[in-house]
Amino acid sequence: MKELKLMKGNEAVAEAAIRAGCDGYFGYPITPQSEIMEYLMYQDPQKTTGMVVLQAESEVAAINMVYGGASCGKKVMTSSSSPGISLKQEGISYIAGAELPCLIVNIVRGGPGLGTIQPSQSDYFQSTKGGGHGDYRLIVLAPSSVQEMADFAGLGFDLAFKYRNPVLILGDGVIGQMMEKVELDEFKPRWTEEEIRRNTPWSTMGKLNNRERNIITSLDLDSHKQEKHVAHLRDKYLEIEKNEVRYEEFQCEDAEYLIVAYGSSARISQKAVELARAKGIKVGLLRPITLFPFPKKPLLNYVGKIKGILTVEMSLGQMIEDVKLAVECKVKVEHFGRFGGIIPTPDEVVVALEKQIIGG
Amino acid sequence: MSDIVTKEQIRRPENLVYSKTKLLTDKALSYCPGCGHGTAHRILMEVIEELNAQEITIGIAPVGCSVLAYEFMNIDMQQAAHGRAPALATAVKRLMPEKIVFTYQGDGDLAAIGTAETIHACNRGENITIIFINNGIYGMTGGQMAPTTLPNMKASTCPYGRDVTTMGNPLRMTELVAQLPGVHFVTRQAVHTPSAVRKAKKALRKAFDLQKENKGLTFVEIVSNCNSGWKMTPVQSNKWMEENMFPFYPLGDIKVDGQLVK
């Protein structure tokens, strides 16, 4: 039975993780996402599903706990906000290098540095281009509602195990803090040791006498082997780009102009589309749901059909680079954004559309 | 018939008095000849074999000379980022309390970059065993000053000797973690003589027995030589270790049954 609740985005992702059969959460408090660990500690799932919830001494320790847990084939996760996610980058790089599944939630706040605790989307580059050292990608899911915060927990674990790759839910302070109606999935039981051994034959759960030992490492001192390994990662990322692109279109059928926005900027832009349409402007919204893989082809398909694209981001303009690459610079692409923790209004978006795209 | 005894005649099962544990692989060790790591690996794996715990043991290798420990230990292993092994071990043990979990870390890994992870895993009383190899130097990167380098001892980043007024004092992590209530058993051992090896193996056995009894964190330091990093022969390095390391890092039990040894 599905269950209907009124929840914050942070609470929704936590509850959905328990229901998705998550084995362990390891975190460290930081605004605006502390409700995730608070909610989990309050629910105390160790007593019901057996899920471990642990407050670590730092973000660095938390992501390395995830590394240890993921190495055992367990469904493990962590969450943080921008400065904390920066601290996790070392561990994320190891996890990507060792090809381990895990779920990471970033409820973005404005930066750089300690920045502000208000919402922002300024971690796009960090999230989609790697983030830590080395050649790697995360699968990045960008929720634009509390419902998607919940849905992406289960989806995130599924994708993480399908590709043996870390999955990042890239929310922001708005998505994390706002309350909405959310429909929650039924409880899925956690995997038993037998199921883990079957589903993740690579995991380090103890070397049974009937198999070779398993080793989880991201190290290969032989550069030829390391090159092969990185080439294998590339092939995996290409596979992900082929199979996992997700996006949503709103009023695009007859559009002469396009807004491209994700997360809470997409919610604002949806309203902006309605306002602009009321003024007779034929504009649609394309909302990338996966930021990696990025919906390149769907955007390229608009070349020749539209006169211009406005990207709306709460940053100085980061996703705009991927949009320009996607349309191969054959369409005019402009950026509009507020940043440093300021959220744009739909009216501001319409003005930007009129000035930068239609009149520009 | 010749009276000369052939190799084949010697290598009969009835003549066998010692064999390498099956929990060590056949791969040649990457350690320098004379280094204590090989012996530490051997007694560790012998203890796991004696406990018949191969199928339930998960080891965590560090960054440092023993970064490739997983090449030599025939059990499931994870290779941690520098200093983070206790964080990995924490999660492994919390998620699978029925398993036996250990970290194997050098002094740079445990006492410098991993200080926070070490102290907090100890303070939470994680039911794991930490094996700490202390040779007072960064061996793998070529002999730089470690947190445990002795005062006035030379290393490549303190070529005139460690000046404690500018470079800080050597850190006795083992005494430090012994203060924490979550830590049940703390001992400092060595592996440079047959009797030291026997004692160290006994200490490891005790640590793992206590882990099986869910007593809390067990911590075994092994003071070791680094003849390459110290620029000595193996024999010289063992003598130097006895004369200089042991006075600063005295061998013996530091905490037993949760009580500090007076």
Side-chain angles (χ1 to χ4, degrees), chain A residues 35-304:
Chain A
E35 294 89 350
I36 297 177
M37 185 162 47
E38 287 172 348
Y39 182 89
L40 288 170
M41 287 291 188
Y42 187 76
Q43 294 298 319
D44 201 6
Q46 182 112 45
K47 292 204 179 80
T48 50
T49 70
M51 175 183 171
V52 170
V53 186
L54 183 65
Q55 180 168 339
E57 64 271 28
S58 67
E59 285 93 348
V60 176
I63 192 68
N64 281 285
M65 289 172 183
V66 166
Y67 180 33
S71 299
C72 302
K74 296 279 182 178
K75 285 187 187 173
V76 285
M77 67 179 293
T78 186
S79 69
S80 192
S81 180
S82 310
I85 294 289
S86 291
L87 281 168
K88 289 186 196 290
Q89 291 303 334
E90 175 201 41
I92 295 172
S93 170
Y94 275 68
I95 290 167
E99 292 200 84
L100 298 173
C102 74
L103 187 63
I104 304 155
V105 182
N106 182 4
I107 302 300
V108 181
R109 58 190 252 183
L114 202 48
T116 168
I117 59 170
Q118 300 300 327
S120 183
Q121 293 180 315
S122 43
D123 295 355
Y124 180 91
F125 284 149
Q126 186 197 50
S127 309
T128 59
K129 309 300 175 195
H133 61 283
D135 270 331
Y136 74 90
R137 297 295 178 121
L138 309 177
I139 298 170
V140 185
L141 303 170
S144 75
S145 64
V146 174
Q147 183 65 54
E148 281 188 336
M149 280 289 272
D151 294 345
F152 291 175
L155 174 66
F157 277 125
D158 289 348
L159 292 173
F161 278 84
K162 182 175 176 189
Y163 294 101
R164 280 188 65 178
N165 205 70
V167 170
L168 177 74
I169 296 181
L170 187 68
D172 59 61
V174 177
I175 301 294
Q177 292 295 328
M178 73 180 178
M179 291 186 91
E180 285 185 309
K181 187 175 70 177
V182 56
E183 200 178 75
L184 294 161
D185 279 340
E186 286 175 48
F187 285 88
K188 263 205 254 175
R190 291 171 48 239
W191 285 346
T192 61
E193 173 158 345
E194 203 174 281
E195 285 172 313
I196 295 174
R197 285 191 187 272
R198 195 168 56 237
N199 297 339
T200 61
W202 44 265
S203 64
T204 49
M205 296 202 86
K207 179 199 170 302
L208 298 183
N209 285 328
N210 61 10
R211 69 153 166 85
E212 289 296 300
R213 70 192 194 284
N214 281 337
I215 296 164
I216 301 294
T217 182
S218 60
L219 171 72
D220 214 322
L221 292 172
D222 179 341
S223 297
H224 295 284
K225 283 192 192 161
Q226 181 67 15
E227 186 182 44
K228 259 190 192 166
H229 173 62
V230 177
H232 158 72
L233 293 181
R234 174 200 58 205
D235 295 345
K236 180 170 82 172
Y237 304 143
L238 288 172
E239 194 68 17
I240 291 169
E241 289 197 272
K242 210 170 80 188
N243 301 335
E244 305 300 342
V245 171
R246 288 168 169 78
Y247 63 98
E248 191 180 67
E249 287 163 313
F250 176 71
Q251 304 213 357
C252 289
E253 298 77 17
D254 61 341
E256 293 176 2
Y257 305 99
L258 202 61
I259 294 175
V260 181
Y262 69 94
S264 47
S265 286
R267 294 287 285 270
I268 295 157
S269 298
Q270 191 172 328
K271 183 71 187 170
V273 166
E274 287 169 6
L275 294 176
R277 288 257 170 192
K279 291 172 106 178
I281 302 167
K282 286 187 176 174
V283 60
L285 167 70
L286 188 143
R287 173 173 80 93
I289 294 171
T290 50
L291 300 180
F292 182 85
F294 194 72
K296 292 181 200 166
K297 271 187 196 155
L299 276 166
L300 187 60
N301 287 341
Y302 280 101
V303 171

